[in-house]
């Protein structure tokens, strides 16, 4: 490796390097939900990406070791919820291992295609799963938008430096 003036010595690729770099990348916060054989499942995601406008496709990553993965691996449809800055506790609940994610105080209802839809979010979509692509210890889920509502009020919740935060003016 050639030294470059003004550039610190780079670290070798590792899971810690990837985590450290992406802690500096501010990301919007979403909750992904699905119906499972034993009830609704869901998790907090910051890996949500718009993929295509025609057809309307999005993607998100999910760990194969996640408690939601068995249901998501078989679900035909998923819910995608964009959280507002007023929903830090909801984001934390869906991120916490072993939490009762759909118990009180979480407010939700069964939406289109039987997908759990969370109340009071900035926007939500119900999507048909079109592919699950292996990616290391995760799967990249590609899903086509079939229903949704973009009309929630408020500002987005962000994740940065390992914590939930809000936009600043």
């Amino acid at each position: 490796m050639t030294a470059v003036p003004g550039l610190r010595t780079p670290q070798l690729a590792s899971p810690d390097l990837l985590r450290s770099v992406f802690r500096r990348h501010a990301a919007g916060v979403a909750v992904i939900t699905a119906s499972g054989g034993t009830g609704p499942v869901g998790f907090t995601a910051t890996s949500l990406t718009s993929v295509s406008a025609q057809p309307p496709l999005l993607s998100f990553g999910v760990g194969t070791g996640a408690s939601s993965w068995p249901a998501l691996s078989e679900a035909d449809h998923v819910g995608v919820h964009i959280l507002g800055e007023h929903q830090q506790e909801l984001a934390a609940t869906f991120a916490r291992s072993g939490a009762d994610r759909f118990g009180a105080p979480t407010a939700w209802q069964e939406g289109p295609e039987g997908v759990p839809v969370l109340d009071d979010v900035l926007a939500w979509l119900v999507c048909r799963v079109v592919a699950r692509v292996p990616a290391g210890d995760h799967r990249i889920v590609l899903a086509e938008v079939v229903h949704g509502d973009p009309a929630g009020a408020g500002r987005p919740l962000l994740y940065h430096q390992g914590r939930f935060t809000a936009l600043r003016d």
Side-chain angles (χ1 to χ4, degrees):
M1 179 177 343
T2 305
V4 178
L7 187 65
R8 291 189 292 248
T9 303
Q11 298 177 27
L12 293 174
S14 71
D16 288 339
L17 174 61
L18 184 66
R19 284 186 202 100
S20 294
V21 168
F22 273 89
R23 286 176 68 90
R24 295 179 169 272
H25 174 72
V29 180
V31 167
I32 309 298
T33 62
S35 292
T38 60
V41 299
F43 68 98
T44 300
T46 56
S47 63
L48 182 64
T49 304
S50 172
V51 173
S52 167
Q54 193 58 21
L57 294 173
L58 59 80
S59 71
F60 60 88
V62 58
T64 56
S67 61
S68 299
W69 173 243
L72 285 165
S73 73
E74 297 182 3
D76 292 328
H77 292 85
V78 295
V80 177
H81 307 82
I82 307 302
L83 300 191
E85 63 186 1
H86 62 286
Q87 295 178 304
Q88 289 188 23
E89 193 55 44
L90 181 67
T93 296
F94 276 83
R96 194 171 21 251
S97 180
D100 181 5
R101 296 172 177 159
F102 290 90
T106 302
W108 65 281
Q109 55 196 300
E110 185 176 309
E113 310 299 337
V115 171
V117 174
L118 302 175
D119 291 351
D120 199 29
V121 294
L122 295 187
W124 61 266
L125 299 166
V126 170
C127 305
R128 181 179 60 83
V129 175
V130 296
R132 295 171 183 89
V133 181
D137 61 355
H138 278 61
R139 295 295 180 269
I140 305 301
V141 178
L142 290 169
E144 183 175 6
V145 175
V146 293
H147 303 282
D149 181 358
R155 295 165 49 122
L157 181 63
L158 300 178
Y159 188 74
H160 181 250
Q161 293 286 42
R163 66 183 185 90
F164 299 114
T165 188
L167 291 173
R168 289 187 213 124
D169 290 328

